[in-house]
Amino acid sequence: MEKQKKNLGSVAFLPLIVFLVCYVGCGITFTLMGADDPFGKFPRHVALLAGCAVALLLNRSMDVKDKLNIMTTNMGNSGVMIIVLIYLMAGGFQGAAAAMGGKDSVVNLCLHVIPVTFLIPGVFLMCCFISTSVEITMGTN
């Protein structure tokens, strides 16, 4: 991979601006609406993913694979940072599933189907199903 230097100028701040507009803008909007915990309504990791997506779209002359490799290498250890990005995406999916009521409906369905004598193994299997569905072990929180 040959190194390409491209001077983007002030456009290089666009991912940071997108993150701030998403997170701080939604927090201020919810504050003006009078919501409880206004900055907790919009997840930070979703705003971070939006900023990362904008950063990956900036230089169109490179492949996304090369851009992702450069981004994760500059963030630290490339392999660890890929795992962090996967964790962020899984957290966004988990938040969307929870907002739709997916976890609650699966829990209610399983609690109606599982007999009382098999409650502990049944709850374990239900948690395994939910964590597999969201592709992360912390999905049953």
Side-chain angles (χ1 to χ4, degrees):
M1 175 175 77
E2 77 181 53
K3 272 201 157 176
Q4 293 180 343
K5 275 218 161 194
K6 187 172 182 182
N7 189 3
L8 296 174
S10 61
V11 177
F13 287 106
L14 193 59
L16 177 65
I17 292 169
V18 167
F19 169 76
L20 289 175
V21 165
C22 286
Y23 184 65
V24 177
C26 286
I28 290 172
T29 302
F30 287 127
T31 300
L32 294 175
M33 292 171 53
D36 294 334
D37 189 26
F39 284 92
K41 299 281 186 203
F42 190 79
R44 286 179 293 277
H45 59 275
V46 175
L48 181 64
L49 280 175
C52 288
V54 170
L56 291 174
L57 292 174
L58 285 180
N59 188 1
R60 294 187 185 253
S61 62
M62 293 178 67
D63 292 336
V64 174
K65 180 181 175 183
D66 294 333
K67 291 181 206 178
L68 201 58
N69 188 24
I70 290 169
M71 185 173 84
T72 55
T73 302
N74 289 326
M75 290 167 77
N77 188 344
S78 180
V80 173
M81 290 301 122
I82 289 286
I83 292 171
V84 168
L85 290 175
I86 291 171
Y87 178 75
L88 286 173
M89 287 187 265
F93 178 75
Q94 185 266 344
M100 290 187 306
K103 287 193 303 187
D104 296 333
S105 63
V106 169
V107 168
N108 287 334
L109 173 71
C110 290
L111 289 179
H112 286 297
V113 172
I114 297 171
V116 176
T117 56
F118 296 114
L119 188 63
I120 293 177
V123 169
F124 172 75
L125 290 175
M126 174 184 59
C127 291
C128 290
F129 173 74
I130 292 173
S131 76
T132 303
S133 298
V134 251
E135 300 176 3
I136 196 157
T137 56
M138 279 74 73
T140 57
N141 294 345

